[in-house]
Amino acid sequence: MRIAVTIFLTDQTIGPVRLARELEQRGFAGVYLPEHTHIPVSRATPYPAGEPLPEEYGRTLDPFVALSAVAAVTERLEVGTAITLVAQRDPVVLAKEIATLDHLSGGRFTLGVGFGWNVEEAADHGVDWRRRRELVRDRMAAMRALWAAEPVAYAGEFASVRASQAYPKPAGGRVRTLVGGAAGPKLFSHVTDYADGWMPIGGGGLGESLPKLRAAWREAGRGEEGPEVVPTAVRPDAGKLAYYRDLGIEEIVVQLPPAGTDEVLRALDDYAQYL
């Protein structure tokens, strides 16, 4: 089983370069970074994990800038987002950022797609909260058009792009994509429409959810193999890893503390027992 990490990198934590070198030296598979552009002080939206909202949410580094630093000082470590708030980003610019990072890293990038939880944050980006999932689907289609081998146009309700010259292309001609969110028909329709798999938080309920996702995958004509399932923000122990392995899961993403260098390195040393 491949073990990657996720962490809220901020202006107060271990830096991306030191973290990247330590991860590759120890043999971890990759690093996935979350994103929040800002956290409005006046916030009516409750934090899903229970108040108070941790400070690191308002201090996160931009994931694409930080991951560029990670990729520049490593050779094998995979880089990804867990997750990117696609609804809050310009799809043409985001497509360029993703393709550039994947190109420069030699095809090591994974895009985690998320729909968000903070209504006020999304509103500052002009997002109609009730329709954000349709917005994300449209923007993903527009980005795939820009990544296509030949110029192709896309016109949707929320995003459109003319047939264009748009280079670089992703290193392998495509971008590995995982969709984050809670299990259910809406989420599974995004996975089967444009993604390679699902990135659930933790592993609760996977025994029940996985058969439904795999059935939806087959019904969508995606084949007998797949989808990938990559649990994220996992607090690992031997029992959990055995459980994931029995479900056929090949990669997990363990949670690191949003802390300084010494505390993060102690956590890596502890997690190394599972590699």
Side-chain angles (χ1 to χ4, degrees):
M1 181 178 293
R2 294 165 4 98
I3 299 180
V5 307
T6 186
I7 182 174
F8 277 85
L9 287 181
T10 77
D11 56 325
Q12 297 178 329
T13 67
I14 187 173
V17 169
R18 177 68 185 275
L19 176 65
R21 288 172 170 154
E22 297 288 347
L23 289 170
E24 186 157 82
Q25 181 181 18
R26 286 167 168 79
F28 285 88
V31 56
Y32 292 81
L33 299 183
E35 81 161 336
H36 284 280
T37 53
H38 65 300
I39 301 294
V41 175
S42 177
R43 175 173 56 87
T45 310
Y47 174 47
E51 298 292 343
L53 179 70
E55 182 184 7
E56 60 264 21
Y57 277 75
R59 307 189 76 108
T60 54
L61 303 185
D62 179 274
F64 292 95
V65 176
L67 289 171
S68 295
V70 170
V73 297
T74 56
E75 296 181 355
R76 302 176 304 279
L77 192 73
E78 296 184 7
V79 295
T81 57
I83 49 61
T84 297
L85 294 168
V86 174
Q88 297 180 187
R89 286 179 169 265
D90 179 293
V92 178
V93 176
L94 181 57
K96 173 70 77 172
E97 290 175 326
I98 290 170
T100 300
L101 179 53
D102 196 59
H103 168 74
L104 293 176
S105 68
R108 288 185 277 156
F109 180 71
T110 293
L111 174 65
V113 174
F115 305 101
W117 60 267
N118 191 328
V119 177
E120 289 79 16
E121 178 185 358
D124 284 348
H125 290 277
V127 176
D128 180 345
W129 187 253
R130 295 167 298 176
R131 305 203 67 192
R132 70 192 188 283
R133 293 178 184 273
E134 293 86 353
L135 172 62
V136 168
R137 194 188 303 273
D138 243 7
R139 288 185 172 176
M140 289 300 302
M143 291 195 295
R144 294 200 306 275
L146 289 166
W147 295 331
E150 299 295 333
V152 59
Y154 175 78
E157 182 179 359
F158 299 100
S160 61
V161 63
R162 294 175 174 85
S164 303
Q165 295 289 335
Y167 291 86
K169 301 298 182 185
R174 57 184 302 280
V175 175
R176 183 189 185 221
T177 302
L178 304 171
V179 180
K186 289 182 179 179
L187 186 283
F188 292 166
S189 73
H190 281 263
V191 174
T192 59
D193 183 20
Y194 58 77
D196 299 286
W198 179 29
M199 180 178 273
I201 295 177
L206 283 180
E208 178 182 352
S209 301
L210 277 182
K212 296 177 181 178
L213 174 57
R214 288 166 177 159
W217 185 265
R218 292 191 296 270
E219 290 170 6
R222 297 293 301 271
E224 294 298 319
E225 297 296 325
E228 296 183 58
V229 177
V230 182
T232 188
V234 172
R235 309 285 182 177
D237 60 48
K240 284 183 183 178
L241 267 62
Y243 170 68
Y244 293 139
R245 189 177 299 111
D246 290 344
L247 290 173
I249 290 171
E250 298 179 351
E251 179 183 0
I252 65 168
V253 183
V254 299
Q255 183 70 58
L256 289 174
T261 299
D262 291 344
E263 185 175 345
V264 169
L265 295 186
R266 284 194 296 270
L268 290 180
D269 290 339
D270 181 40
Y271 292 166
Q273 65 183 295
Y274 303 115
L275 295 176

